Amino acid sequence: GQLTKLQVTRVADYVEASLHGPIGLDELAAVAALSRSHFSRAFKATVGEGPYRFVTRRRIDRARALLARRDGPSVGAIAQAVGFANTGVFRRAFLQFTGMTPQQYRKERC
C-alpha cells in the first residue's frame, strides 16, 4: 500500500518541474506507474497528505520564496508562476497554508 522511495522522488521531481502549470492526478499516477486510485491511496499512505494538497503546498512553498525577495515579482505574477488560475485563488490558498495573505507575508519578510 505505499510508494517506493523512487516513486516518491519521481513524483516530487515532476511536481517541482511542473509547478507553473496544471498538474493532474492522472499525470502523477502515470509518473509513479500506477492506476489513479491506487496512486492516490498509496501517496497519502506514504507522504501523509493527498496529492492535491501536496502539490498546493509545494506551490505555496515556491511562492513564499519568491515573496521573500524584496525586488521580487508582483503577487499576480507569482500566482501565475506557481500555477494558480488567478490571484484570488492564490490568495485564498496562501492564507489557508500560512495564516496570512501574500501581501502580509511579503511585508513581514522584506
Side-chain angles (χ1 to χ4, degrees), residues 1 5 11 19-20 23 38 41 48 55 59 64 67 70 74 83 95 104:
K5 286 183 181 185
V11 169
L19 284 178
H20 61 280
I23 301 172
H38 183 74
R41 285 189 306 271
V55 170
R59 291 182 196 279
R64 287 168 58 173
L67 286 165
R70 181 178 303 268
S74 70
L95 183 61
Q104 290 169 329

PDB file of all heavy atoms in Angstrom, residues 1 5 11 19-20 23 38 41 48 55 59 64 67 70 74 83 95 104:
ATOM      1  N   GLY A   1       0.725  -1.203   0.000  1.00  0.00           N
ATOM      2  CA  GLY A   1       0.000   0.000   0.000  1.00  0.00           C
ATOM      3  C   GLY A   1       0.775   1.285   0.000  1.00  0.00           C
ATOM      4  O   GLY A   1       0.160   2.331   0.117  1.00  0.00           O
ATOM      5  N   LYS A   5      10.590   4.623  -2.525  1.00  0.00           N
ATOM      6  CA  LYS A   5      11.329   5.891  -2.470  1.00  0.00           C
ATOM      7  C   LYS A   5      11.534   6.453  -3.873  1.00  0.00           C
ATOM      8  O   LYS A   5      11.455   7.661  -4.079  1.00  0.00           O
ATOM      9  CB  LYS A   5      12.680   5.692  -1.780  1.00  0.00           C
ATOM     10  CG  LYS A   5      12.570   5.527  -0.296  1.00  0.00           C
ATOM     11  CD  LYS A   5      13.930   5.413   0.345  1.00  0.00           C
ATOM     12  CE  LYS A   5      13.779   5.229   1.843  1.00  0.00           C
ATOM     13  NZ  LYS A   5      15.052   5.227   2.535  1.00  0.00           N
ATOM     14  N   VAL A  11       7.787  11.499  -8.453  1.00  0.00           N
ATOM     15  CA  VAL A  11       6.599  12.346  -8.363  1.00  0.00           C
ATOM     16  C   VAL A  11       6.985  13.733  -7.858  1.00  0.00           C
ATOM     17  O   VAL A  11       6.562  14.743  -8.420  1.00  0.00           O
ATOM     18  CB  VAL A  11       5.515  11.697  -7.468  1.00  0.00           C
ATOM     19  CG1 VAL A  11       4.396  12.677  -7.156  1.00  0.00           C
ATOM     20  CG2 VAL A  11       4.954  10.440  -8.135  1.00  0.00           C
ATOM     21  N   LEU A  19       5.366  23.061 -11.548  1.00  0.00           N
ATOM     22  CA  LEU A  19       4.565  23.943 -10.696  1.00  0.00           C
ATOM     23  C   LEU A  19       3.922  25.097 -11.451  1.00  0.00           C
ATOM     24  O   LEU A  19       2.886  25.604 -11.038  1.00  0.00           O
ATOM     25  CB  LEU A  19       5.401  24.499  -9.542  1.00  0.00           C
ATOM     26  CG  LEU A  19       5.684  23.545  -8.395  1.00  0.00           C
ATOM     27  CD1 LEU A  19       6.562  24.227  -7.356  1.00  0.00           C
ATOM     28  CD2 LEU A  19       4.407  23.032  -7.764  1.00  0.00           C
ATOM     29  N   HIS A  20       4.491  25.514 -12.542  1.00  0.00           N
ATOM     30  CA  HIS A  20       3.984  26.656 -13.292  1.00  0.00           C
ATOM     31  C   HIS A  20       2.671  26.372 -14.022  1.00  0.00           C
ATOM     32  O   HIS A  20       1.980  27.292 -14.423  1.00  0.00           O
ATOM     33  CB  HIS A  20       5.041  27.109 -14.305  1.00  0.00           C
ATOM     34  CG  HIS A  20       5.366  26.033 -15.298  1.00  0.00           C
ATOM     35  ND1 HIS A  20       6.225  25.008 -14.992  1.00  0.00           N
ATOM     36  CD2 HIS A  20       4.930  25.806 -16.552  1.00  0.00           C
ATOM     37  CE1 HIS A  20       6.313  24.191 -16.038  1.00  0.00           C
ATOM     38  NE2 HIS A  20       5.534  24.658 -16.994  1.00  0.00           N
ATOM     39  N   ILE A  23      -1.349  20.425 -12.855  1.00  0.00           N
ATOM     40  CA  ILE A  23      -0.819  19.101 -12.520  1.00  0.00           C
ATOM     41  C   ILE A  23      -2.007  18.261 -12.092  1.00  0.00           C
ATOM     42  O   ILE A  23      -2.629  18.541 -11.070  1.00  0.00           O
ATOM     43  CB  ILE A  23       0.215  19.170 -11.377  1.00  0.00           C
ATOM     44  CG1 ILE A  23       1.386  20.079 -11.759  1.00  0.00           C
ATOM     45  CG2 ILE A  23       0.704  17.767 -11.028  1.00  0.00           C
ATOM     46  CD1 ILE A  23       2.351  20.353 -10.615  1.00  0.00           C
ATOM     47  N   HIS A  38      -5.107   3.690  -7.101  1.00  0.00           N
ATOM     48  CA  HIS A  38      -4.049   3.089  -6.281  1.00  0.00           C
ATOM     49  C   HIS A  38      -3.000   4.135  -5.914  1.00  0.00           C
ATOM     50  O   HIS A  38      -2.523   4.186  -4.774  1.00  0.00           O
ATOM     51  CB  HIS A  38      -3.399   1.907  -7.005  1.00  0.00           C
ATOM     52  CG  HIS A  38      -2.356   1.220  -6.188  1.00  0.00           C
ATOM     53  ND1 HIS A  38      -2.666   0.406  -5.123  1.00  0.00           N
ATOM     54  CD2 HIS A  38      -1.007   1.264  -6.251  1.00  0.00           C
ATOM     55  CE1 HIS A  38      -1.537  -0.033  -4.570  1.00  0.00           C
ATOM     56  NE2 HIS A  38      -0.523   0.482  -5.243  1.00  0.00           N
ATOM     57  N   ARG A  41      -4.261   6.520  -3.035  1.00  0.00           N
ATOM     58  CA  ARG A  41      -4.205   5.876  -1.708  1.00  0.00           C
ATOM     59  C   ARG A  41      -2.773   5.675  -1.246  1.00  0.00           C
ATOM     60  O   ARG A  41      -2.420   5.961  -0.100  1.00  0.00           O
ATOM     61  CB  ARG A  41      -4.937   4.532  -1.736  1.00  0.00           C
ATOM     62  CG  ARG A  41      -6.442   4.633  -1.750  1.00  0.00           C
ATOM     63  CD  ARG A  41      -7.102   3.273  -1.548  1.00  0.00           C
ATOM     64  NE  ARG A  41      -6.649   2.268  -2.502  1.00  0.00           N
ATOM     65  CZ  ARG A  41      -7.196   2.039  -3.693  1.00  0.00           C
ATOM     66  NH1 ARG A  41      -8.212   2.768  -4.099  1.00  0.00           N
ATOM     67  NH2 ARG A  41      -6.722   1.099  -4.484  1.00  0.00           N
ATOM     68  N   GLY A  48       1.667  11.187   3.727  1.00  0.00           N
ATOM     69  CA  GLY A  48       0.915  11.728   4.851  1.00  0.00           C
ATOM     70  C   GLY A  48      -0.102  12.790   4.462  1.00  0.00           C
ATOM     71  O   GLY A  48      -0.784  13.343   5.320  1.00  0.00           O
ATOM     72  N   VAL A  55       0.696  19.076  -3.887  1.00  0.00           N
ATOM     73  CA  VAL A  55       1.004  19.998  -4.982  1.00  0.00           C
ATOM     74  C   VAL A  55       0.750  21.439  -4.537  1.00  0.00           C
ATOM     75  O   VAL A  55       1.582  22.325  -4.765  1.00  0.00           O
ATOM     76  CB  VAL A  55       0.180  19.652  -6.243  1.00  0.00           C
ATOM     77  CG1 VAL A  55       0.300  20.750  -7.292  1.00  0.00           C
ATOM     78  CG2 VAL A  55       0.636  18.313  -6.823  1.00  0.00           C
ATOM     79  N   ARG A  59       3.409  24.546  -4.259  1.00  0.00           N
ATOM     80  CA  ARG A  59       3.187  25.826  -4.925  1.00  0.00           C
ATOM     81  C   ARG A  59       3.344  26.978  -3.920  1.00  0.00           C
ATOM     82  O   ARG A  59       3.968  27.995  -4.215  1.00  0.00           O
ATOM     83  CB  ARG A  59       1.793  25.878  -5.550  1.00  0.00           C
ATOM     84  CG  ARG A  59       1.602  24.960  -6.740  1.00  0.00           C
ATOM     85  CD  ARG A  59       0.196  25.140  -7.311  1.00  0.00           C
ATOM     86  NE  ARG A  59      -0.237  24.085  -8.196  1.00  0.00           N
ATOM     87  CZ  ARG A  59       0.070  23.959  -9.467  1.00  0.00           C
ATOM     88  NH1 ARG A  59       0.870  24.831 -10.049  1.00  0.00           N
ATOM     89  NH2 ARG A  59      -0.409  22.957 -10.189  1.00  0.00           N
ATOM     90  N   ARG A  64       6.316  31.435  -1.397  1.00  0.00           N
ATOM     91  CA  ARG A  64       6.926  32.061  -0.220  1.00  0.00           C
ATOM     92  C   ARG A  64       8.350  32.499  -0.519  1.00  0.00           C
ATOM     93  O   ARG A  64       8.774  33.588  -0.117  1.00  0.00           O
ATOM     94  CB  ARG A  64       6.896  31.093   0.962  1.00  0.00           C
ATOM     95  CG  ARG A  64       5.500  30.933   1.527  1.00  0.00           C
ATOM     96  CD  ARG A  64       5.395  29.801   2.488  1.00  0.00           C
ATOM     97  NE  ARG A  64       6.325  29.963   3.601  1.00  0.00           N
ATOM     98  CZ  ARG A  64       6.357  29.203   4.653  1.00  0.00           C
ATOM     99  NH1 ARG A  64       5.510  28.195   4.776  1.00  0.00           N
ATOM    100  NH2 ARG A  64       7.209  29.411   5.620  1.00  0.00           N
ATOM    101  N   LEU A  67       8.116  35.596  -2.674  1.00  0.00           N
ATOM    102  CA  LEU A  67       7.621  36.748  -1.918  1.00  0.00           C
ATOM    103  C   LEU A  67       8.661  37.305  -0.954  1.00  0.00           C
ATOM    104  O   LEU A  67       8.619  38.478  -0.598  1.00  0.00           O
ATOM    105  CB  LEU A  67       6.364  36.366  -1.132  1.00  0.00           C
ATOM    106  CG  LEU A  67       5.089  36.197  -1.951  1.00  0.00           C
ATOM    107  CD1 LEU A  67       4.031  35.464  -1.134  1.00  0.00           C
ATOM    108  CD2 LEU A  67       4.579  37.540  -2.434  1.00  0.00           C
ATOM    109  N   ARG A  70      12.862  41.080  -1.795  1.00  0.00           N
ATOM    110  CA  ARG A  70      12.444  42.488  -1.780  1.00  0.00           C
ATOM    111  C   ARG A  70      12.133  42.983  -3.199  1.00  0.00           C
ATOM    112  O   ARG A  70      11.161  43.687  -3.424  1.00  0.00           O
ATOM    113  CB  ARG A  70      13.536  43.356  -1.166  1.00  0.00           C
ATOM    114  CG  ARG A  70      13.178  44.821  -1.082  1.00  0.00           C
ATOM    115  CD  ARG A  70      14.277  45.629  -0.420  1.00  0.00           C
ATOM    116  NE  ARG A  70      14.589  45.137   0.911  1.00  0.00           N
ATOM    117  CZ  ARG A  70      14.025  45.576   2.036  1.00  0.00           C
ATOM    118  NH1 ARG A  70      13.122  46.510   1.968  1.00  0.00           N
ATOM    119  NH2 ARG A  70      14.361  45.081   3.192  1.00  0.00           N
ATOM    120  N   SER A  74       5.539  40.771  -8.784  1.00  0.00           N
ATOM    121  CA  SER A  74       4.275  41.117  -8.144  1.00  0.00           C
ATOM    122  C   SER A  74       3.546  39.862  -7.676  1.00  0.00           C
ATOM    123  O   SER A  74       3.840  38.754  -8.130  1.00  0.00           O
ATOM    124  CB  SER A  74       3.382  41.872  -9.129  1.00  0.00           C
ATOM    125  OG  SER A  74       2.924  40.984 -10.144  1.00  0.00           O
ATOM    126  N   GLY A  83       1.442  28.459 -10.756  1.00  0.00           N
ATOM    127  CA  GLY A  83       0.379  27.629 -11.277  1.00  0.00           C
ATOM    128  C   GLY A  83      -1.032  27.857 -10.771  1.00  0.00           C
ATOM    129  O   GLY A  83      -1.898  26.997 -10.959  1.00  0.00           O
ATOM    130  N   LEU A  95      -3.386  32.017   2.242  1.00  0.00           N
ATOM    131  CA  LEU A  95      -3.937  32.305   3.568  1.00  0.00           C
ATOM    132  C   LEU A  95      -4.216  31.019   4.336  1.00  0.00           C
ATOM    133  O   LEU A  95      -3.906  30.907   5.528  1.00  0.00           O
ATOM    134  CB  LEU A  95      -5.212  33.136   3.426  1.00  0.00           C
ATOM    135  CG  LEU A  95      -5.898  33.598   4.710  1.00  0.00           C
ATOM    136  CD1 LEU A  95      -4.972  34.495   5.524  1.00  0.00           C
ATOM    137  CD2 LEU A  95      -7.179  34.349   4.366  1.00  0.00           C
ATOM    138  N   GLN A 104       0.756  40.413   3.217  1.00  0.00           N
ATOM    139  CA  GLN A 104       1.223  40.446   4.609  1.00  0.00           C
ATOM    140  C   GLN A 104       2.540  39.702   4.749  1.00  0.00           C
ATOM    141  O   GLN A 104       3.455  40.151   5.448  1.00  0.00           O
ATOM    142  CB  GLN A 104       0.172  39.823   5.535  1.00  0.00           C
ATOM    143  CG  GLN A 104      -1.081  40.638   5.706  1.00  0.00           C
ATOM    144  CD  GLN A 104      -2.179  39.854   6.409  1.00  0.00           C
ATOM    145  OE1 GLN A 104      -2.278  38.639   6.288  1.00  0.00           O
ATOM    146  NE2 GLN A 104      -3.020  40.570   7.146  1.00  0.00           N
TER     147      GLN A 104
END
